[in-house]
Amino acid sequence: MAQLAPTRRFNVHEYHRMAVAGILTEDDRVELIAGEIVEMPPIGSRHAACVDRLTRLFSSRVGDAALVRVQNPIRLSDVSEPQPDLALLEPRADFYAAAHPGPGEVLLIVEVADTSVGYDRSVKIPLYARAGIRELWLVDLERERIEVLRQPAAGSYRTAETHRRGGRVTIEALPGLEFPVDAILG
């Protein structure tokens, strides 16, 4: 039986030091997931358009109730710092200049999936649930639906709702705001 070569896992501090040293650059599309530096797939035009629609919708509707963060890091633990497509954060005067936000400051994470839905389901959703992210939207462009996951527990979410065209989605932390599924999917 062949033995696998040992792998080297990294923590967030080491990951950031690689950027300072020039090993990783801003042009590298990578994120730190469970100690592994994972290359992210290129962003297709449908994916980019959906992120742009969500950015516009959230920016125009949430006002000062939340900060809209687009494809920027969220520090989930000492070994995981993903870059979700969008995040709504608790407002802070410094806009998180001192440090990336952690799970307790995240109101909502949105992952847009065109070709990555399998990876999002098997890796990212359990990662977010283990970190205690209270609400996650998975925008499945292929199936034209939005899955709303809430109440993290034991690496998964207790509640899951699927919203299709003609429906509306809400954000639990921001009551009173509704977003048409059609406006998100385009």
Side-chain angles (χ1 to χ4, degrees):
M1 179 152 107
Q3 188 169 345
L4 296 175
T7 58
R8 167 71 161 88
R9 297 202 179 264
F10 300 95
N11 63 39
V12 171
H13 177 71
E14 293 166 325
Y15 179 64
H16 285 243
R17 284 182 40 214
M18 284 184 225
V20 170
I23 297 167
L24 297 173
T25 70
E26 287 186 9
D27 294 333
D28 289 318
R29 291 205 20 87
V30 296
E31 56 188 357
L32 185 65
I33 304 293
E36 294 182 356
I37 298 172
V38 178
E39 194 169 350
M40 299 182 332
I43 297 173
S45 59
R46 282 182 9 162
H47 183 284
C50 184
V51 170
D52 289 345
R53 280 191 296 276
L54 280 161
T55 302
R56 175 179 259 175
L57 280 169
F58 286 166
S59 296
S60 68
R61 301 281 313 282
V62 302
D64 293 332
L67 294 177
V68 179
R69 180 169 266 222
V70 182
Q71 296 175 334
N72 280 322
I74 304 292
R75 185 173 179 175
L76 298 181
S77 70
D78 287 339
V79 294
S80 290
E81 194 174 87
Q83 295 180 35
D85 290 305
L86 282 110
L88 293 182
L89 309 174
E90 291 182 358
R92 246 179 51 183
D94 75 340
F95 287 79
Y96 297 91
H100 292 309
E105 296 152 322
V106 176
L107 304 175
L108 170 70
I109 293 258
V110 180
E111 289 287 356
V112 176
D114 193 355
T115 59
S116 65
V117 73
Y119 179 76
D120 289 333
R121 283 189 203 290
S122 65
V123 175
K124 291 196 108 176
I125 288 174
L127 180 75
Y128 290 132
R130 282 192 303 274
I133 298 298
R134 55 187 126 175
E135 184 168 352
L136 171 78
W137 292 4
L138 178 61
V139 180
D140 184 341
L141 295 175
E142 194 62 36
R143 293 190 176 119
E144 294 195 324
R145 66 185 190 186
I146 300 171
E147 296 172 35
V148 176
L149 306 167
R150 295 182 177 133
Q151 300 177 355
S156 64
Y157 285 89
R158 288 188 195 142
T159 65
E161 302 170 353
T162 300
H163 300 270
R164 299 190 189 299
R165 289 191 175 279
R168 302 177 83 70
V169 289
T170 61
I171 302 167
E172 196 168 69
L174 301 173
L177 289 180
E178 289 187 338
F179 300 90
V181 171
D182 291 333
I184 295 168
L185 295 176

